[in-house]
Amino acid sequence: MARTAVAYSALLPNANVADTALTAVALNPGTNNGHRIASAEPERTVLRVTVGATGGNITIKAGTNPPAIAASMGDLVVAVAANATQWIGPFESGRFIQNDGSLLVDVAAAVVPGTITALRLPRGV
């Protein structure tokens, strides 16, 4: 199975966004699956991950060098407890950006059900 695209949900400066207006995508767990955020802006990206009764690891994949000159620092692995929501990010592009400008997120095979939402922080706030 291929990676699932995750579109950004924008946060607005000096405003509010209803939780129901955010774009949540069902988690795509397992080997060679996961998620892809195209045209990513890592320093402005925060992920909201919710998981069901199983819990498990969410992995932000290290980027490719170049452009990610700090890719050798490796992946960021975040354990998410069962029936919990975890906020992850923002990220350093020098460590996590892929050579096509995307961010890659892997989900442990046992993590179901759940959702992932990519939030883009506004500039200049």
Side-chain angles (χ1 to χ4, degrees):
M1 186 181 260
R3 290 188 179 275
T4 300
V6 179
Y8 275 115
S9 292
L11 295 177
L12 306 171
N14 305 311
N16 66 300
V17 177
D19 194 53
T20 55
L22 301 176
T23 305
V25 175
L27 289 178
N28 184 14
T31 306
N32 299 320
N33 292 342
H35 301 275
R36 179 177 179 271
I37 303 167
S39 301
E41 297 181 66
E43 285 80 7
R44 295 178 56 208
T45 301
V46 174
L47 303 177
R48 182 187 67 185
V49 179
T50 62
V51 299
T54 59
N57 290 338
I58 304 298
T59 303
I60 313 307
K61 300 299 291 178
T64 48
N65 183 5
I69 60 173
S72 63
M73 292 177 68
D75 299 341
L76 170 64
V77 179
V78 177
V80 182
N83 298 310
T85 299
Q86 188 76 41
W87 295 82
I88 309 168
F91 306 99
E92 183 181 357
S93 58
R95 179 175 174 188
F96 296 107
I97 198 77
Q98 302 297 316
N99 61 6
D100 65 355
S102 67
L103 275 176
L104 300 180
V105 181
D106 283 354
V107 180
V111 181
V112 288
T115 62
I116 183 170
T117 305
L119 301 152
R120 185 179 351 222
L121 302 172
R123 291 187 192 271
V125 177

